[in-house]
Amino acid sequence: SIVIDVKDYSGHISFEVSDPVLKKAGAAEKRIPDVVEFINYLHQKNIYVIARISVFQDVYLVKKRPDLAVKRKDGTIWKDYKGIAWLNPASAEVWDYIIRVAKEAEAVGFDELNFDYIRYPSDGDMKNIILPYASGAKTKAESLKVFFAYLSAELLPLKIPLSVDLFGFTTTHSDDLNIGQILEDAAPYFDYISPMVYPSHYPKGYENYSNPADHPYEVIILAMKTGSEKLLAASSTPSKLRPWLQDFDLGATYTAEMVRKEKQAVYDAGLDSWLLWDPSNKYTKEALD
């Protein structure tokens, strides 16, 4: 499999689109000038092609439509600590925009639609932010669940698998992590759930490890076992779990042996699928079969 950005945090769409609303928005670029040909080539190599869509992080659309942005209390646009603006997670117009992007990805041949940043913002001045909820929702988690259901229903006619990226802690925590994400809430609406269980992202002292990044097997097998239990309790199936694993140096040097320990943890938890991520897009061949 390969995961390809269709819309990243910048808000730009990586290939030309035919949808008139998306065309008018002007977000499409020619990062992939031959997207249909490219996907066909990958299919000839028996490669499953996943379209990644950043949902509520979108710098471009915020500039184009500031009325759709998450706001500060004074009405100006809120930005996180990286200076990135976010779209309103409760806006039906934003939801429909995302659905249009997803349909474009399916139309050019992607095999699966993967949704990232499908959450409320967290890493910024949270004391000076206005966060509306979807109609009828009283919490962030309820609001996201309304969106999950809407997204799933609107894309059901495409008959294409849908997946969602969640924080790694959703596998072990029972709250919404203050971002609206609850593992069990996503289960009915997605075919695959990809918690980002990068050991380097767990805090010092987690499970009594001074540096969790040094313990990839232990961190990930716990996440997968508890995640599996949560899905079973929710009348779902652990087979939906397809975690993002770490292939980058942060907190520890991730050698082939370290990456293989992550994979083994997934297998030992009774699961058979995973995704690998490195922000520089350079992967450890020796860790792969």
Side-chain angles (χ1 to χ4, degrees), residues 98-112:
I98 296 300
I99 286 164
R100 288 178 182 275
V101 174
K103 288 180 176 178
E104 285 287 317
E106 186 275 337
V108 297
F110 281 94
D111 300 304
E112 177 185 320

Side-chain angles (χ1 to χ4, degrees), residues 17-289:
V17 295
S18 58
D19 183 283
V21 173
L22 296 181
K23 276 190 169 184
K24 185 177 180 181
E29 298 182 331
K30 286 188 178 180
R31 294 186 195 175
I32 310 174
D34 53 352
V35 63
V36 174
E37 180 184 341
F38 180 44
I39 292 174
N40 286 339
Y41 170 79
L42 293 172
H43 284 163
Q44 289 168 14
K45 299 290 185 181
N46 199 30
I47 295 173
Y48 182 77
V49 192
I50 303 170
R52 176 182 174 268
I53 299 169
S54 173
V55 178
F56 298 126
Q57 260 196 354
D58 193 318
V59 174
Y60 178 85
L61 192 58
V62 165
K63 287 182 179 178
K64 191 84 173 179
R65 292 286 306 279
D67 57 306
L68 297 178
V70 168
K71 302 287 183 24
R72 294 161 57 93
K73 290 179 179 178
D74 63 2
T76 58
I77 294 173
W78 183 91
K79 295 181 180 179
D80 62 24
Y81 288 139
K82 293 180 180 178
I84 298 172
W86 287 64
L87 294 170
N88 179 354
S91 166
E93 190 171 352
V94 169
W95 297 359
D96 287 337
Y97 182 85
I98 296 300
I99 286 164
R100 288 178 182 275
V101 174
K103 288 180 176 178
E104 285 287 317
E106 186 275 337
V108 297
F110 281 94
D111 300 304
E112 177 185 320
L113 304 172
N114 169 254
F115 298 93
D116 199 2
Y117 285 95
I118 190 167
R119 63 177 178 88
Y120 276 80
S122 61
D123 49 342
D125 182 4
M126 302 308 294
K127 294 180 180 179
N128 194 14
I129 190 171
I130 299 172
L131 293 174
Y133 302 145
S135 178
K138 297 180 180 178
T139 65
K140 294 175 184 176
E142 287 180 8
S143 188
L144 278 192
K145 193 171 183 180
V146 174
F147 175 51
F148 293 162
Y150 185 76
L151 186 72
S152 175
E154 291 294 314
L155 297 177
L156 185 63
L158 299 182
K159 295 181 169 39
I160 183 173
L162 307 180
S163 60
V164 60
D165 298 335
L166 301 179
F167 272 22
F169 269 135
T170 59
T171 61
T172 52
H173 284 226
S174 57
D175 65 342
D176 75 340
L177 309 176
N178 206 30
I179 58 172
Q181 288 186 349
I182 294 177
L183 180 69
E184 297 92 322
D185 285 354
Y189 306 109
F190 296 95
D191 300 284
Y192 303 106
I193 299 173
S194 296
M196 297 173 282
V197 289
Y198 312 127
S200 63
H201 285 38
Y202 286 76
K204 182 179 180 180
Y206 177 72
E207 290 295 303
N208 295 318
Y209 297 124
S210 59
N211 182 24
D214 285 328
H215 302 274
Y217 181 88
E218 293 81 0
V219 169
I220 289 170
I221 196 167
L222 174 62
M224 293 301 97
K225 284 184 174 180
T226 56
S228 295
E229 291 167 1
K230 285 160 76 74
L231 289 178
L232 284 170
S235 299
S236 186
T237 171
S239 63
K240 289 194 173 192
L241 285 174
R242 186 187 62 191
W244 280 103
L245 305 181
Q246 174 174 347
D247 191 7
F248 53 88
D249 298 337
L250 183 64
T253 300
Y254 266 64
T255 60
E257 181 185 4
M258 294 282 271
V259 175
R260 286 189 175 275
K261 285 181 179 179
E262 294 183 284
K263 291 162 56 182
Q264 194 61 51
V266 176
Y267 302 143
D268 289 352
L271 306 170
D272 60 8
S273 298
W274 42 267
L275 296 167
L276 208 56
W277 184 58
D278 172 33
S280 67
N281 222 24
K282 296 176 182 177
Y283 295 92
T284 308
K285 286 184 180 181
E286 296 76 18
L288 304 173
D289 300 319

